[in-house]
Amino acid sequence: MLNAPQAVRDYLRLWLGGIEHECFVVLFLDAQHRIKDTETLFRGTLTQTSVYPREVVKAALQRNAAAVIFAHNHPSGNVTPSHADQVLTQTLKQALALIEVRVLDHFIVAGNHTQSFAEHGLL
């Protein structure tokens, strides 16, 4: 069970830390914020991946998720969110709000380092 922010960070570092291409992962949570499922929804190249809000919404509905946590990796080693990362997060947050799914956080993973959008006021 991932019941603390550090546990989520550790889980995501294990899932994404060593991958050499960008991946976008979604943790699907129930109403008590327990993980129902985790899936890599999109796989990209060394420097980018395309994320489609429609597919994220569809996946959340299929799992009857009450909330989600997003994560993607930066193989470059830089955990700083790009402007595109921030815009995507807001777009996904708005799309999921329409179906009453809360976005709790978005993490960037770069090797052994992580950065939380929520902790930096970007959510």
Side-chain angles (χ1 to χ4, degrees):
M1 177 183 243
L2 303 178
N3 54 7
Q6 188 59 45
V8 175
R9 288 177 189 280
D10 293 343
Y11 180 74
L12 293 171
R13 273 198 305 270
L14 288 172
W15 190 286
L16 289 168
I19 299 175
E20 295 181 357
H21 55 271
E22 280 204 16
C23 291
F24 186 87
V25 172
V26 181
L27 283 70
F28 300 95
L29 311 172
D30 67 14
Q32 285 76 43
H33 299 162
R34 294 176 298 213
I35 293 180
K36 295 175 68 107
D37 195 10
T38 302
E39 184 178 354
T40 300
L41 287 184
F42 305 100
R43 180 184 189 272
T45 65
L46 180 64
T47 58
Q48 66 182 7
T49 189
S50 295
V51 176
Y52 302 98
R54 175 186 174 97
E55 296 301 315
V56 175
V57 169
K58 186 167 102 175
L61 286 170
Q62 287 172 337
R63 289 159 179 87
N64 199 29
V68 294
I69 295 173
F70 302 129
H72 76 281
N73 63 321
H74 282 178
S76 67
N78 182 357
V79 293
T80 304
S82 69
H83 178 69
D85 293 337
Q86 294 176 46
V87 169
L88 171 65
T89 302
Q90 290 306 315
T91 299
L92 292 172
K93 185 177 175 183
Q94 291 169 358
L96 288 165
L98 295 172
I99 60 165
E100 298 179 357
V101 174
R102 289 187 55 213
V103 175
L104 300 182
D105 209 340
H106 184 164
F107 287 90
I108 296 177
V109 178
N112 288 326
H113 303 284
T114 60
Q115 181 160 322
S116 159
F117 278 50
E119 289 176 2
H120 286 86
L122 300 174
L123 198 55

